[in-house]
Amino acid sequence: MQDSNLEALKRMKSISGHVKGIERMLETDTYCIDVIKQIQAVEAALGKVSGLLLEGHLHSCVITAVRGEDLGERERVLGEIADVFETAAKV
Amino acid sequence: MQDSNLEALKRMKSISGHVKGIERMLETDTYCIDVIKQIQAVEAALGKVSGLLLEGHLHSCVITAVRGEDLGERERVLGEIADVFETAAKV
Amino acid sequence: MQDSNLEALKRMKSISGHVKGIERMLETDTYCIDVIKQIQAVEAALGKVSGLLLEGHLHSCVITAVRGEDLGERERVLGEIADVFETAAKV
Amino acid sequence: MQDSNLEALKRMKSISGHVKGIERMLETDTYCIDVIKQIQAVEAALGKVSGLLLEGHLHSCVITAVRGEDLGERERVLGEIADVFETAAKV
């Protein structure tokens, strides 16, 4: 596993615990705004993980595909990056 | 528990499973872009839960605070909404 | 005009200049990443303006509607806030 | 100019008009929620423009840098993409 993926996995496990904590907050009728703030914290943490994964991906698969001679594969790989960027860039 | 919170809890439990699934994807070295797309799906699902919670909050605590005579409390409650909106409105 | 709206107008005028600047960057073939960063700066600035406007709105129309006796109007005003929050909370 | 940049420029000009329209809405004291919705529409439009620009960039500069032999330049170009993605992926 790439270092960036190991770090991503470590963070996802921590996010998993955070999400469980939010479930408990809802079960115990915690004040809504406090729950919303925790959800926003999880969203920020997930954004960091996607960032890490994309960075690892750029430095591995993307380099391989772009330096390779298979034009279809190159297109596919670059198109995927444009796709996830557009989703991330939505309001 | 308010209906909107019950629905929010149900959704958080499903998000929790989704997050566990992403951990497994990372453990089994799934293609990064597929992992990023699942993370983006979780972010969208979390956005829906915040929306539900805010709606429930507006129709309960906010009405109580705004119709009450405690001006400090009213300020506090309205300020909180402005806060979570600003966080949500960040790029 | 409310103070928060005056401030919002001042900021929109500055954003307008920023957007014009980005047009010029495109016309003069500026490096794409530099243009994207300026676009992201404009998005952040717009998020601030929405935040200001919502805050002003909460402290004026929302208080009036929620303290008023017209239940339909109250619903409408609270529903609108839930709407703009959900749009802001999207991935 | 690349096709994607021409399209981006066309869209920025339209966004510029949209922003001017929002200034007028503020000057004429338009209902805040309607202004916020227009701001959110501009943010969505800006997200599309960044997406277009990134796509053009991936298919030009990025291919050149990644296929070139200058490792420092390759790092720089890939790092920039990770950067703009992380900004876009923020809550």
Side-chain angles (χ1 to χ4, degrees), chain B residues 19-90:
Chain B
V19 168
K20 279 282 165 209
I22 295 173
E23 278 181 47
R24 275 188 300 276
M25 289 174 90
L26 287 167
E27 279 161 352
T28 55
D29 256 326
T30 305
Y31 187 57
C32 289
I33 295 290
D34 294 335
V35 182
I36 291 174
K37 284 184 180 169
Q38 290 311 312
I39 290 177
Q40 292 180 329
V42 167
E43 290 177 304
L46 287 169
K48 286 251 172 188
V49 176
S50 320
L52 267 173
L53 290 173
L54 190 80
E55 206 176 340
H57 181 63
L58 287 164
H59 287 89
S60 52
C61 307
V62 176
I63 291 182
T64 308
V66 173
R67 291 183 69 85
E69 298 310 320
D70 180 342
L71 286 184
E73 172 68 0
R74 190 193 296 171
E75 272 312 291
R76 201 184 56 72
V77 164
L78 295 176
E80 283 171 346
I81 292 172
D83 274 1
V84 294
F85 179 77
E86 262 196 54
T87 300
K90 264 190 200 141

Side-chain angles (χ1 to χ4, degrees), chain A residues 64-79:
Chain A
T64 308
V66 173
R67 290 183 70 85
E69 297 310 319
D70 181 342
L71 288 182
E73 173 67 1
R74 189 192 296 170
E75 273 312 292
R76 201 184 56 71
V77 164
L78 295 177

Side-chain angles (χ1 to χ4, degrees), chain D:
Chain D
M1 210 187 278
Q2 274 187 293
D3 276 6
S4 57
N5 282 28
L6 260 180
E7 176 65 21
L9 179 57
K10 210 181 86 188
R11 284 174 186 239
M12 279 310 291
K13 283 180 194 288
S14 140
I15 287 168
S16 201
H18 204 155
V19 168
K20 280 281 167 209
I22 295 173
E23 278 181 46
R24 274 188 300 276
M25 289 174 89
L26 287 167
E27 280 161 353
T28 55
D29 256 325
T30 305
Y31 187 56
C32 288
I33 295 290
D34 294 335
V35 182
I36 291 174
K37 284 184 180 168
Q38 291 310 311
I39 290 177
Q40 292 180 329
V42 167
E43 289 177 304
L46 288 169
K48 287 251 173 190
V49 176
S50 322
L52 267 172
L53 290 173
L54 190 81
E55 206 175 339
H57 181 63
L58 286 165
H59 286 90
S60 54
C61 307
V62 176
I63 291 183
T64 308
V66 173
R67 290 183 69 84
E69 298 309 320
D70 181 342
L71 287 183
E73 172 68 1
R74 189 193 297 171
E75 273 312 292
R76 201 183 56 72
V77 164
L78 295 177
E80 283 171 345
I81 292 173
D83 274 1
V84 294
F85 178 77
E86 261 196 54
T87 301
K90 264 189 200 143
V91 178

Side-chain angles (χ1 to χ4, degrees), chain C residues 5-41:
Chain C
N5 282 29
L6 260 180
E7 176 65 22
L9 179 57
K10 209 181 85 189
R11 285 173 186 240
M12 278 311 290
K13 282 179 194 292
S14 141
I15 287 168
S16 201
H18 204 156
V19 168
K20 279 283 165 209
I22 295 172
E23 278 180 46
R24 274 189 299 276
M25 289 174 90
L26 288 167
E27 279 161 353
T28 55
D29 257 325
T30 305
Y31 186 57
C32 288
I33 295 289
D34 294 335
V35 182
I36 291 175
K37 284 184 179 169
Q38 291 310 312
I39 289 177
Q40 292 180 329

